Amino acid sequence: MAESGRHPFLQGLSKHRGAPPTVVVIFGASGDLTARKLLPAVYNLSHDNLLPADFHLVGFGRKAMADAEFRALAEAAVKEFSRREPDPEVWARVAARTSYVAGGYDEPAAYQRLAAQLAELERELGRDLQRIFYVSTPPSVFAAIIEQLGACGLAAIHRDTPLHSKVIIEKPFGKDLASAVALNAAIRGVFAEQQVYRIDHYLGKETVQDLLVQRFANAIFEPLWNRNFIASVQITVAEEVGVGSRGGYYEQSGCLRDMLQNHTMQLLALTAMEPPGSLAPEAIRDEKVKVLNAIQPLAVGPGGEVARAQYAAGMVAGRPVPGYLQEEGIAPASATETYAALRLSINNWRWQGVPFYLRSGKRLARRVSEIAVNFRRPPGTLFAGETSRFDLAANTLAFQIQPDEGLSLILNTKIPGLETRTQPVKMSFRYATTFGSNTAEAYERLVLDAIIGDGTLFIRGDETEASWRLYTPVLESWRAAGREGMDTYPAGSWGPASADALLAGAQHRWRQP
Ligand code: NDP
Ligand code: BG6
C-alpha cells in the first residue's frame, strides 16, 4: 500500500499538495514560538512528506550563532515539543538544509547577508526558491523587518510572480485601530496583499475548520441558523493558566487584545457569516469582513455591554495560585484585564436581536473553548406546567473547539417508564473516538498552507481593521477609567459577577462548559 504508515488524516492527501521549492526564513529564530511551535511544525510536515523536496530553513536573529549551534537548538526544541517522537533520519534531512544568519532586525547589512545566502542557495540548487519570511519576533520590530525586506529587495525580487515571496506575520497585529492601519500600510508598501499571511492560530485548529463543514455540508443547520430559531450564541475561550512568565507582554496587552480581538472574533465570524459563494479564500474572507462590519459599536460603562476583571488568588487544579497583581512583572496597581466578556449585536437580516456573548480569561475553572448555539424554546403548550415531570432545557448545539474536540446537541427526551417524564440529554460526537488522536497541530496546517499559497486560514488586512474598529473605543475608555470598573474573580472560578450581569436582562445565563 503506497500510503502505509501514514496517519489516516493524511491518506488521500496528495504529497506536498503542490508545494513549490521553498526556503522559509524565521525572524526571531531563537524565540519561544519558534521552539514550541514552528520547528516542531516543520519537523512533522517533513515526517509526513508534505514539504517540497527542495525545502530549506534559515533562522535569523540578533543572537550570534553558528549554523551548527542553531541546528542543535532546533533539534532540542523538536525533541521537547514535537507531538511525536522525532525520527533521527527525518530530522537529519531537515537539519542538512537548515542554516542561520545573525543580525539586527533593522540592520541593512544583515539583510544583505541574508540575501546573499539565499542567492547562494539558489545558485547551488540551480533553481529559484519561493521565499517565505516568517516574522516571529515581538511586534515592536515587525515594521522594521518588513521595511528592511523591502529595502534590500528580498520582497520585491519576484514581485511580478507573487508566489515567489511571502510574509507570515505573527500576532498581535497592532494594538489598536491606528497601529493596525499603520502596520497594514507598511506591509502594503512592500508586499501585495496576496503575499501576506497574518496568523491567527485558532484558524488552524481542526474544529475551527470543521465549523464551515458543519454549517454548510449539512442540510439540517442552515434553515435554523438565524434569528427565527436561535435565541443566543455564547463563545467561550477559557484558560486555566495564568500569565506565567509573560507578564511583560501581557501588561501591555490584556485579554481583549490577546484573545478577543483575534481568536474569539474569528470564531464569531465563522459562526455568523453568510454562506460564501465558494470555498475560495477571498469568498470566505469577504463574508467574514461583512459580518464583522455589521457588529454594532459596544456600549461601555455602567449598564453597558462589556465587563473586565482581574483574577484574584484562588485554587486551580487543587493548588493555591496567586492573584494577577502578585504575579511576576505585574505592576501592583495594574489596570490590565485578565478576563473580558461582551454582549454583541449584529445588525443584519440574519442576526438582528440575537445576542452574541463572548468571554475569555486566564485562570478560569477549566481550559475550554467552545461555541454554544442556543435555540429558542418550542411553544410551551404540551409539556408545560408540571415542572416536576417535565425537566426541559433549550436545545443547544455546542462546538467544542478544545480540548476533547467534538460536537454535542442537547435534546429533551422521555425518561423510560410508564408515565411521561422528560429530561435533557446530550448527544455527542468526539473527534478522538471517531478519528483517533495525535492529529496535526494548527501551525503545521498554517505553515503548509502558506507554502502552497492558500490564504483561507489567514486574516486579511480589512478583517483585522474591522475587529480593531470595534474594540479600540472600548480600550480607550478602559484606559481613561484606569482601575475604575475593574472587577475581580477568584482564580479557578468561571469569572466575575459583572459578566453574569451582561446576560441577566435577557434572562440568559453563561453555560458551564
Ligand atoms: P520571544 O520573546 O521569544 O522573542 C523571539 C525572538 O525575538 C527572541 O528569541 C529574540 O531573538 C528576539 N527578541 C526578543 N525581544 C526582542 C526585542 N525587544 N527586540 C527585538 N528582538 C527581540 O517571542 P515569542 O517567540 O514568544 O513570540 C514571537 C511572536 O509570536 C510574538 O509576536 C508573539 O506575540 C507571537 N506569539 C507567540 C506565542 C507563544 O506561545 N510564544 C503564541 C502566539 C503568538 P534575538 O535576540 O536572537 O533577536
Ligand atoms: C495566544 C495568546 O495567542 O493564545 C496566549 O497570546 C494564549 O495568551 C494562547 O494562552 C492560547 O492558545 P491555545 O491554542 O492554547 O488555546
Side-chain angles (χ1 to χ4, degrees):
M1 187 171 75
E3 294 203 306
S4 66
R6 297 189 98 199
H7 189 282
F9 278 101
L10 299 170
Q11 288 174 16
L13 179 64
S14 60
K15 286 191 179 175
H16 314 155
R17 291 173 62 198
T22 298
V23 55
V24 172
V25 179
I26 301 180
F27 292 95
S30 64
D32 180 67
L33 185 73
T34 306
R36 288 197 306 110
K37 298 291 179 193
L38 306 186
L39 293 166
V42 167
Y43 167 78
N44 281 299
L45 288 172
S46 177
H47 181 281
D48 290 332
N49 274 322
L50 290 167
L51 292 177
D54 268 331
F55 176 83
H56 297 260
L57 183 68
V58 178
F60 184 108
R62 299 170 306 178
K63 187 171 182 208
M65 271 192 279
D67 290 346
E69 198 182 334
F70 179 56
R71 285 185 202 126
L73 190 131
E75 184 176 9
V78 171
K79 277 191 179 138
E80 184 173 356
F81 297 113
S82 165
R83 67 185 163 90
R84 48 160 90 94
E85 187 66 29
D87 172 339
E89 258 181 54
V90 176
W91 174 250
R93 226 168 41 223
V94 178
R97 291 152 180 238
T98 296
S99 58
Y100 185 78
V101 173
Y105 299 110
D106 57 356
E107 181 196 336
Y111 289 80
Q112 297 302 341
R113 290 197 295 280
L114 175 64
Q117 181 149 329
L118 299 186
E120 175 61 17
L121 197 55
E122 289 180 341
R123 198 189 56 72
E124 280 170 16
L125 294 168
R127 66 192 305 176
D128 286 351
L129 293 171
Q130 160 177 241
R131 294 154 178 204
I132 300 191
F133 301 104
Y134 197 125
V135 182
S136 177
T137 59
S140 54
V141 290
F142 284 1
I145 294 171
I146 302 294
E147 192 185 320
Q148 290 301 325
L149 285 171
C152 77
L154 274 172
I157 197 161
H158 295 301
R159 189 95 199 217
D160 45 338
T161 51
L163 260 184
H164 277 258
S165 74
K166 294 171 183 162
V167 63
I168 305 179
I169 303 182
E170 261 305 330
K171 63 161 285 239
F173 194 90
K175 60 182 173 55
D176 53 19
L177 179 59
S179 55
V181 168
L183 186 54
N184 271 333
I187 292 170
R188 286 186 192 125
V190 173
F191 292 96
E193 180 65 31
Q194 67 267 33
Q195 294 172 279
V196 184
Y197 293 75
R198 294 172 194 77
I199 285 255
D200 184 314
H201 76 277
Y202 267 56
L203 291 178
K205 292 181 190 280
E206 275 296 340
T207 34
V208 177
Q209 293 160 44
D210 191 37
L211 264 174
L212 283 189
V213 181
Q214 292 295 342
R215 276 194 66 191
F216 303 124
N218 295 302
I220 57 170
F221 297 134
E222 188 52 26
L224 307 181
W225 215 253
N226 58 55
R227 62 194 304 275
N228 298 324
F229 297 94
I230 293 177
S232 71
V233 177
Q234 286 189 17
I235 304 182
T236 300
V237 181
E239 297 190 278
E240 219 175 276
V241 293
V243 72
S245 57
R246 297 172 72 214
Y249 156 76
Y250 202 82
E251 274 286 86
Q252 303 304 315
S253 167
C255 181
L256 202 73
R257 288 189 172 98
D258 190 45
M259 301 296 283
L260 281 155
Q261 186 276 336
N262 37 68
H263 306 322
T264 320
M265 285 305 270
Q266 287 297 316
L267 299 184
L268 177 140
L270 291 170
T271 308
M273 71 181 194
E274 293 300 312
S278 75
L279 288 179
E282 297 319 320
I284 293 174
R285 302 201 294 189
D286 285 348
E287 294 306 335
K288 284 200 289 170
V289 176
K290 273 192 229 161
V291 77
L292 291 176
N293 280 330
I295 300 173
Q296 295 304 286
L298 284 155
V300 195
E305 294 166 314
V306 297
R308 61 173 173 150
Q310 286 175 341
Y311 58 84
M315 298 288 285
V316 169
R319 63 184 176 88
V321 295
Y324 180 65
L325 297 180
Q326 289 79 51
E327 298 270 24
E328 185 193 330
I330 305 304
S334 168
T336 300
E337 80 289 354
T338 62
Y339 176 101
L342 318 162
R343 185 179 66 231
L344 296 176
S345 312
I346 302 177
N347 192 16
N348 65 14
W349 191 267
R350 186 185 288 265
W351 294 118
Q352 198 185 56
V354 179
F356 278 70
Y357 302 114
L358 273 54
R359 62 177 164 169
S360 180
K362 297 218 181 270
R363 284 280 187 242
L364 292 177
R366 192 158 84 75
R367 175 179 182 251
V368 62
S369 299
E370 70 154 34
I371 300 164
V373 179
N374 300 310
F375 290 87
R376 292 192 187 283
R377 289 173 183 269
T381 48
L382 294 181
F383 302 104
E386 292 180 61
T387 48
S388 57
R389 281 174 57 202
F390 302 133
D391 175 9
L392 296 168
N395 300 126
T396 295
L397 178 67
F399 298 88
Q400 184 140 332
I401 306 297
Q402 63 185 19
D404 199 13
E405 291 78 356
L407 185 68
S408 65
L409 179 61
I410 293 182
L411 299 167
N412 296 304
T413 305
K414 178 181 174 300
I415 302 170
L418 300 183
E419 66 171 349
T420 300
R421 300 166 69 86
T422 70
Q423 179 187 310
V425 293
K426 190 157 103 173
M427 200 165 80
S428 291
F429 149 68
R430 289 281 160 257
Y431 276 71
T433 313
T434 305
F435 298 118
S437 48
N438 200 20
T439 55
E441 284 205 4
Y443 276 91
E444 293 172 43
R445 170 75 195 248
L446 296 174
V447 168
L448 182 61
D449 279 3
I451 291 174
I452 62 174
D454 184 342
T456 312
L457 302 178
F458 294 85
I459 301 180
R460 209 168 58 188
D462 51 354
E463 275 182 76
T464 193
E465 289 179 17
S467 181
W468 279 121
R469 199 165 292 119
L470 180 72
Y471 287 122
T472 300
V474 178
L475 290 164
E476 280 168 358
S477 145
W478 284 354
R479 196 185 51 202
R483 285 188 54 79
E484 200 186 318
M486 176 74 76
D487 205 348
T488 57
Y489 58 101
S493 70
W494 274 112
S498 50
D500 299 339
L502 295 176
L503 284 67
Q507 267 99 52
H508 292 153
R509 285 212 313 252
W510 290 109
R511 250 168 68 89
Q512 289 243 337

